[in-house]
């Protein structure tokens, strides 16, 4: 294996590990600093991060051979479609809450059914179809259809779903931009940061489109029979798609509400250790005012405790 090819593979696996660590950090903050049972956006954030982690999971460190290629194909197809659907549902939900529209009591169940069932349906054909095969010499997965041939399974299982997801996310993004005036009013009235208003609404769909477009180009090149193994640039572009969970964590860290929640938990822990005789439910007047403010923000669903 050439040194350039080895460096590309190493970079891709480094991105996978970075996404795994970033995803674990985000999930840890959600579970221990926020109550996801009562926060619909927190639940949706967890599902997006889990899908991103599954898409970028470094299976190569634990399995190999054709079984690795099959698992990699399933995780890629499921991850791409699930991330896209959850992002669309997430954007739609924020748009509705910004304008004060009534949220269906079973909204999360509906979102989960849509975002889980459709990816699984696309994964079923992979039991019979092979998008890639194991190369025992290079110890990597290569496209099942050789260079110079049209890869129709890749077209229907990967390219078309990815293209549809990108189109729908762009539509959802345009749909969300219509909320800018309302978001501006809320930002000034509550004195919120840019990340807690515009960022929460636009960050995830924009990042998803930016990452997926290069990946879609690579998939189309493979479909047309181009041997991307000879062009390291295409492989680098595909490896960048593994960074979705990392970028999610970065956007997550910029939310002031999340940082305040973590600091609040740390302060409560220090207070409990210093004054064990005090009940955990004891709060100062300023603490109660903050809690009321957070309650109002949650009802308006603008600065949810967790967002991408």
């Amino acid at each position: 294996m050439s040194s350039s090819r080895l460096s590309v593979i190493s970079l891709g696996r480094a991105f996978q590990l970075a996404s795994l660590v970033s995803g674990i950090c985000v999930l840890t903050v959600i579970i221990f600093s926020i109550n996801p049972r009562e926060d619909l956006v927190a639940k949706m954030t967890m599902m997006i991060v889990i899908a991103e982690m599954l898409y970028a999971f470094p299976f190569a460190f634990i399995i190999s051979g054709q079984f690795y290629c099959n698992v990699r194909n399933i995780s890629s197809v499921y991850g791409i479609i699930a991330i896209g659907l959850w992002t669309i549902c997430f954007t739609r939900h924020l748009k509705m809450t910004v304008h004060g529209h009534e949220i269906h009591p079973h909204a999360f169940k509906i979102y989960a059914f849509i975002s889980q069932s459709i990816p699984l349906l696309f994964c079923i054909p992979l039991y019979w179809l092979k998008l890639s095969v194991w190369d025992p010499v290079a110890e990597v997965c290569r496209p099942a259809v050789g260079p110079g041939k049209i890869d129709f399974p890749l077209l229907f299982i990967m390219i078309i779903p990815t293209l549809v997801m990108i189109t729908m996310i762009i539509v959802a993004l345009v749909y969300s931009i219509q909320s800018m005036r309302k978001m501006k009013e809320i930002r000034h009235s509550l004195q919120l940061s840019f990340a807690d208003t515009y960022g929460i609404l636009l960050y995830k769909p924009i990042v998803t489109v930016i990452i997926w477009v290069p990946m879609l180009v690579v998939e189309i090149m493979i479909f047309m029979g181009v041997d991307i193994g000879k062009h390291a640039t295409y492989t680098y572009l595909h490896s960048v798609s593994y960074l979705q969970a990392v970028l999610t964590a970065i956007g997550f860290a910029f939310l002031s509400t999340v940082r305040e929640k973590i600091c609040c938990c740390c302060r409560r822990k220090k207070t409990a250790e210093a004054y064990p005789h005090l009940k955990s439910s004891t709060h100062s007047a300023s603490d109660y005012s903050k809690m009321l403010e957070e309650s109002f923000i949650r009802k308006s669903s603008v600065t949810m405790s967790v967002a991408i």
Side-chain angles (χ1 to χ4, degrees), residues 14-29:
F15 288 167
Q16 291 175 340
L17 288 174
S19 285
L20 179 62
V21 173
S22 300
I24 292 174
C25 292
V26 172
L27 293 178
T28 301
V29 171

Side-chain angles (χ1 to χ4, degrees), residues 91-113:
T91 305
R92 177 184 181 275
H93 177 75
L94 289 181
K95 174 70 164 52
M96 292 180 65
T97 52
V98 165
H99 289 274
H101 296 163
E102 183 179 356
I103 304 300
H104 194 282
H106 301 295
F108 180 75
K109 293 181 180 179
I110 296 173
Y111 294 150
F113 176 77

Side-chain angles (χ1 to χ4, degrees), residues 76-150:
S76 296
V77 171
Y78 175 86
I80 288 173
I81 301 175
I83 293 169
L85 290 174
W86 275 116
T87 301
I88 294 167
C89 293
F90 183 85
T91 305
R92 177 184 181 275
H93 177 75
L94 289 181
K95 174 70 164 52
M96 292 180 65
T97 52
V98 165
H99 289 274
H101 296 163
E102 183 179 356
I103 304 300
H104 194 282
H106 301 295
F108 180 75
K109 293 181 180 179
I110 296 173
Y111 294 150
F113 176 77
I114 295 172
S115 302
Q116 298 296 101
S117 60
I118 295 178
L120 290 175
L121 288 175
F122 276 89
C123 289
I124 292 176
L126 295 178
Y127 180 81
W128 298 278
L129 300 176
K130 292 183 179 180
L131 298 182
S132 61
V133 293
W134 179 254
D135 185 344
V137 178
E139 296 185 343
V140 295
C141 295
R142 297 191 182 279
V145 177
K149 298 180 181 179
I150 302 298

Side-chain angles (χ1 to χ4, degrees), residues 220-284:
I220 293 175
M221 298 289 286
I222 296 174
F223 164 72
M224 296 176 63
V226 177
D227 186 3
I228 64 170
K230 296 180 179 180
H231 307 278
T233 303
Y234 298 141
T235 310
Y236 277 120
L237 290 176
H238 192 274
S239 298
V240 171
S241 66
Y242 295 137
L243 288 175
Q244 293 180 82
V246 176
L247 296 175
T248 295
I250 293 173
F252 185 85
F254 273 99
L255 291 175
S256 60
T257 47
V258 172
R259 296 197 301 270
E260 290 171 3
K261 198 76 175 181
I262 296 173
C263 293
C264 183
C265 291
C266 294
R267 285 196 298 268
R268 284 202 300 266
K269 183 177 180 180
K270 291 180 179 179
T271 302
E273 292 175 351
Y275 305 99
H277 61 284
L278 295 178
K279 298 292 184 180
S280 59
S281 59
T282 302
H283 299 277
S284 66

